[in-house]
Amino acid sequence: MSRPTRFKNAQAEESQFQLRLIVAYAIMVLLFLLLVSRFVWLQVMQHEHFSTLAQNNRISLVPILPSRGLIVDRNGVILAQNYSAYTLELTLSKIDDLDATIAELGTLVNITPRDLKLFKKLRAETRSFEAIPLKTKLSEEEAARMAAHAWRFPGVEVKARLFRDYPFKELTSHVLGYIGRINTRDVERLEEENKTTNYRGTTYIGKTGLEYTYEDELHGTVGFEEMETDAGGRAIRTLRRTPPVNGRSLHLALDIRLQEIADKLFGKRRGALVAIDPRDGGVLAFLSKPGFDPSLFIDGIDSQTWKELNEDWEKPLVNRALRGLYPPGSTFKPFMAMAALEAGSIGPNDVRPAPGYFTLPGSSHQFRDSNPRGNGMANLAKAIQVSSDTFFYKLAWDMGIDRIHPLIGQFGLGSKTGIDLDGEAAGVLPSKEWKARRFAKYRPEVRRWYPADVVSIGIGQGFNAYTPLQLANGVATLANDGTMFKPHLVQKVVDPQRGKEALIGASPTRRLPFKAAHFDYVKHGMQMVLQPGGTAARIGVNLPYTMAGKTGTAQVVQIKQGAKYNAAAIAERYRDHSWFVAFAPVEAPKIALAVIVENAGFGAAAAAPIARAVTDFYLTGKVPADLSGQLQTVKTETRSAEEIARAQAERAAEEQESHDATPAP
């Protein structure tokens, strides 16, 4: 090969080498630039993000639970409080052999079959990484024993927890309700309301009653501790602490002494009593019989107890005062009288027949009076006094449902009162429209309103159905000359830490446009009920104050035409209900109440004496002689708002100190 050819080949190889070198260099520069840009992205652009991640790996936020607010009655008597106790809790994700672990734990603490049933129930409702209580309220010895053997049980902890206590048990169960463990439904609701952050570490939440209605006030605000941790997640030191804000306390209008007297007077009978202050709508007593022990629900009720409560024919879980719907019987007549006067269907001086039975034109069916001989001739006041059914049958027939419904509806019957409790029933004030809706799925002849439908409505029977709360509120409005307040159990919400309180508004919600003379007339007729010749004359003897009332006997089952009612021949649950509504003193009412005793018969025999005794105590302080020595709360000393707030602050501090403590080995 010639020399020029070799030279050209060398030049070509050198050019290729330089090209490869340039390409390699360019790649190196590009890679370097990429590396630099990545460093800039990570170190500069993403500095805050990765700094936060690193900080989070080093720092753990530990929630500090607030102390739940107290609930006290109008005199400062504690109705719901907290106490601290040790709980044995298991985190399933950290336990290899659950059955063996529980068996071993049983040698150190007393684990009952009920504990195991409840644990099984909670296990099905709880995520594996959350702690589940196996046994609550450990003794000091059990807690110390567990602390000494803690190293043997990974995933098992003894924690100091605050528990809710209801000192009066069944007596306040339908008022206070209860708290319970947070379940999936509660979590969904908290997420919808954007409240999950404030429930970190929280185990319990209000389920029913005031505990549910005022959950936001009672719960408080969760605090946090910033804990520095090592690579193994163990706490090294506390960096910063944000203390919790304890829940606010509820001060009720309710008088627990009055509640207890009513409870004792009922004895083992079923029924309800609601007493209201007509001046502001404050609920003085709110009793539903029978009640239940709310502590059964706090840690989750076992299936057997739940079954027993639900299958009990006396229905202890039903809040009769709030949700029980009953025909009002003759307690409806004062409202009928007000409607008739306002409609002009009768005048105060009109005298009409009150015979032993009433028949519709062209019909042979007899609507009988409770007095077979009738009551002769009567004006409206006497008809209220003697409770003439036939008088009010004819009055309802003359008025018609189109005039009755709107006038009586203004007293709140057939509508929710808006009381600060969940689940209130609306009741039924009948109308043509209501019947068409109620029987919409039935044949046209069933949906149609018949003229005869209005007759029984005039004496509080037929389709009428109201709660004791509605009747108490209606009577309070009547006593107050048409000024209506929304019933409320809570008078004020108090923040014991800041010393601030928020009063529950007591402004009238409605003023009925009825004539003052008509209120005076009907109230006079109700006063006559307690005077000689009235259906409740017996309880009017030696009254130290003025009182107006109305008895009622509500049919549970219909009696066949011509048949005579015989309570002894009827099963107890089908006997008539005993009603009494009243207010006192008449000239300046301080209390209005409705009492129903289920299946107890004539209103004057069962419900009226309870109402008289309760009113006696509230207005005069007199305790029924047969209850002397049986009551626990009557002698309770009252305390000022300042004393209560100070005691609550001290109690909250003690609870938090106890809650933060850990058992020593």
Side-chain angles (χ1 to χ4, degrees):
M1 184 180 293
S2 64
R3 184 175 179 181
T5 302
R6 290 198 301 271
F7 179 75
K8 288 180 181 180
N9 290 340
Q11 280 186 327
E13 290 177 359
E14 183 177 357
S15 296
Q16 290 179 359
F17 174 77
Q18 289 178 348
L19 180 61
R20 286 196 295 269
L21 189 63
I22 291 172
V23 172
Y25 179 76
I27 292 173
M28 290 176 61
V29 171
L30 180 61
L31 292 175
F32 180 77
L33 290 175
L34 288 174
L35 184 61
V36 170
S37 63
R38 182 61 176 167
F39 283 155
V40 171
W41 173 256
L42 294 175
Q43 298 290 338
V44 179
M45 305 300 293
Q46 293 291 302
H47 171 77
E48 185 175 348
H49 171 69
F50 286 104
S51 177
T52 302
L53 290 178
Q55 186 77 352
N56 289 341
N57 287 335
R58 184 176 69 89
I59 298 174
S60 296
L61 289 178
V62 180
I64 307 173
L65 302 185
S67 175
R68 194 171 181 85
L70 306 181
I71 303 178
V72 301
D73 86 332
R74 67 188 300 117
N75 297 312
V77 179
I78 293 177
L79 308 181
Q81 61 187 346
N82 310 306
Y83 68 95
S84 182
Y86 295 122
T87 301
L88 182 62
E89 301 186 9
L90 279 61
T91 304
L92 303 186
S93 61
K94 299 179 181 180
I95 299 174
D96 295 328
D97 191 336
L98 180 61
D99 292 336
T101 300
I102 292 177
E104 189 68 18
L105 290 172
T107 64
L108 299 175
V109 299
N110 179 29
I111 300 174
T112 66
R114 184 181 183 279
D115 293 331
L116 294 174
K117 284 183 180 179
L118 185 56
F119 176 79
K120 183 178 180 181
K121 178 177 181 291
L122 294 176
R123 181 184 175 187
E125 301 172 351
T126 309
R127 291 171 290 190
S128 62
F129 55 85
E130 294 179 343
I132 306 173
L134 175 61
K135 183 176 179 61
T136 58
K137 303 167 191 174
L138 298 176
S139 66
E140 294 287 343
E141 293 79 8
E142 288 177 326
R145 199 155 49 238
M146 279 304 308
H149 292 268
W151 60 273
R152 297 169 47 196
F153 301 99
V156 178
E157 293 181 280
V158 174
K159 294 183 179 179
R161 297 279 191 185
L162 287 178
F163 290 90
R164 200 66 161 168
D165 178 49
Y166 304 101
F168 294 98
K169 307 296 183 186
E170 292 88 350
L171 188 60
T172 56
S173 58
H174 289 293
V175 176
L176 305 183
Y178 54 84
I179 64 171
R181 289 182 64 85
I182 295 176
N183 56 29
T184 303
R185 187 181 304 171
D186 297 321
V187 172
E188 292 173 353
R189 179 167 58 86
L190 291 172
E191 289 175 347
E192 289 175 1
E193 298 173 0
N194 197 27
K195 296 178 181 177
T196 52
T197 301
N198 194 38
Y199 280 81
R200 282 191 59 185
T202 303
T203 308
Y204 300 99
I205 195 170
K207 296 288 187 177
T208 64
L210 293 177
E211 293 278 25
Y212 173 83
T213 306
Y214 289 89
E215 170 64 25
D216 290 345
E217 287 80 5
L218 290 166
H219 175 65
T221 304
V222 171
F224 291 94
E225 274 187 338
E226 291 187 7
M227 302 290 297
E228 184 177 3
T229 59
D230 60 17
R234 292 180 291 272
I236 299 175
R237 61 191 175 105
T238 300
L239 299 177
R240 188 172 63 178
R241 187 177 193 272
T242 302
V245 178
N246 291 329
R248 288 172 285 180
S249 298
L250 306 182
H251 290 230
L252 308 188
L254 185 137
D255 187 336
I256 193 62
R257 303 171 303 173
L258 201 66
Q259 184 96 342
E260 186 182 18
I261 283 178
D263 179 74
K264 296 294 185 184
L265 290 167
F266 265 87
K268 295 186 179 300
R269 293 176 294 184
R270 303 174 311 284
L273 178 147
V274 178
I276 295 175
D277 187 338
R279 297 169 296 182
D280 62 7
V283 178
L284 306 171
F286 193 90
L287 181 70
S288 177
K289 293 278 292 183
F292 60 92
D293 184 356
S295 62
L296 294 172
F297 293 85
I298 294 177
D299 289 310
I301 190 168
D302 64 88
S303 57
Q304 181 61 34
T305 305
W306 174 251
K307 181 181 178 182
E308 290 172 359
L309 287 172
N310 276 281
E311 294 181 354
D312 188 338
W313 75 274
E314 293 189 318
K315 304 298 180 186
L317 296 179
V318 174
N319 189 334
R320 287 165 161 82
L322 186 72
R323 303 174 188 172
L325 293 176
Y326 306 90
S330 294
T331 62
F332 189 73
K333 290 173 181 175
F335 303 106
M336 269 295 299
M338 286 296 303
L341 289 169
E342 284 293 318
S345 297
I346 194 171
N349 299 317
D350 290 353
V351 177
R352 296 181 178 180
Y357 63 89
F358 168 77
T359 57
L360 292 171
S363 171
S364 61
H365 180 85
Q366 295 182 352
F367 294 89
R368 293 173 295 175
D369 195 273
S370 56
N371 182 353
R373 296 190 299 270
N375 291 283
M377 301 296 290
N379 61 10
L380 189 56
K382 181 182 177 182
I384 294 173
Q385 179 188 25
V386 300
S387 199
S388 171
D389 290 337
T390 53
F391 189 98
F392 282 94
Y393 284 143
K394 181 66 165 57
L395 190 60
W397 172 259
D398 290 341
M399 289 184 68
I401 196 63
D402 290 336
R403 287 199 289 178
I404 292 173
H405 180 272
L407 288 167
I408 289 183
Q410 295 191 53
F411 286 93
L413 299 183
S415 303
K416 294 182 180 181
T417 66
I419 191 173
D420 45 354
L421 287 176
D422 62 303
E424 180 183 4
V428 177
L429 176 60
S431 67
K432 293 177 181 177
E433 294 75 19
W434 170 85
K435 188 177 182 183
R437 291 194 308 269
R438 171 63 179 82
F439 299 101
K441 296 181 180 180
Y442 292 78
R443 300 186 306 275
E445 56 268 28
V446 178
R447 300 195 300 269
R448 187 181 308 128
W449 184 271
Y450 294 94
D453 288 340
V454 77
V455 176
S456 57
I457 287 171
I459 64 164
Q461 291 289 160
F463 297 124
N464 282 305
Y466 311 112
T467 66
L469 172 62
Q470 284 179 330
L471 279 174
N473 194 46
V475 171
T477 303
L478 195 158
N480 218 19
D481 293 335
T483 299
M484 178 181 288
F485 293 89
K486 182 169 72 173
H488 56 274
L489 284 155
V490 177
Q491 276 187 323
K492 57 186 176 181
V493 180
V494 177
D495 185 341
Q497 290 179 292
R498 297 179 176 85
K500 296 181 179 180
E501 59 183 46
L503 297 176
I504 301 299
S507 300
T509 58
R510 188 187 310 169
R511 296 186 189 277
L512 275 58
F514 292 2
K515 294 180 180 178
H518 294 163
F519 281 110
D520 292 339
Y521 183 86
V522 172
K523 288 194 284 187
H524 173 66
M526 294 177 70
Q527 272 189 275
M528 293 169 60
V529 171
L530 281 77
Q531 296 170 2
T535 54
R538 186 184 305 176
I539 71 160
V541 176
N542 298 324
L543 263 178
Y545 48 83
T546 56
M547 187 177 193
K550 184 68 192 80
T551 55
T553 306
Q555 282 186 350
V556 177
V557 293
Q558 189 174 8
I559 305 301
K560 293 181 180 180
Q561 182 76 60
K564 186 176 181 180
Y565 176 77
N566 181 6
I570 302 174
E572 180 183 349
R573 68 183 67 186
Y574 301 124
R575 296 173 189 168
D576 294 346
H577 297 319
S578 175
W579 273 107
F580 192 72
V581 298
F583 59 90
V586 175
E587 59 278 5
K590 297 179 181 179
I591 183 173
L593 69 166
V595 184
I596 182 171
V597 185
E598 291 184 5
N599 312 121
F602 186 42
I610 294 176
R612 165 70 194 269
V614 167
T615 308
D616 276 353
F617 176 76
Y618 185 70
L619 295 179
T620 70
K622 178 184 176 182
V623 178
D626 55 341
L627 298 184
S628 180
Q630 297 183 39
L631 304 175
Q632 301 296 318
T633 63
V634 171
K635 296 182 179 180
T636 301
E637 295 183 1
T638 60
R639 294 182 291 174
S640 67
E642 292 77 12
E643 290 173 324
I644 296 170
R646 186 166 56 252
Q648 288 174 343
E650 293 172 355
R651 181 184 293 270
E654 293 173 0
E655 289 169 352
Q656 192 59 55
E657 181 180 349
S658 177
H659 179 265
D660 292 340
T662 54

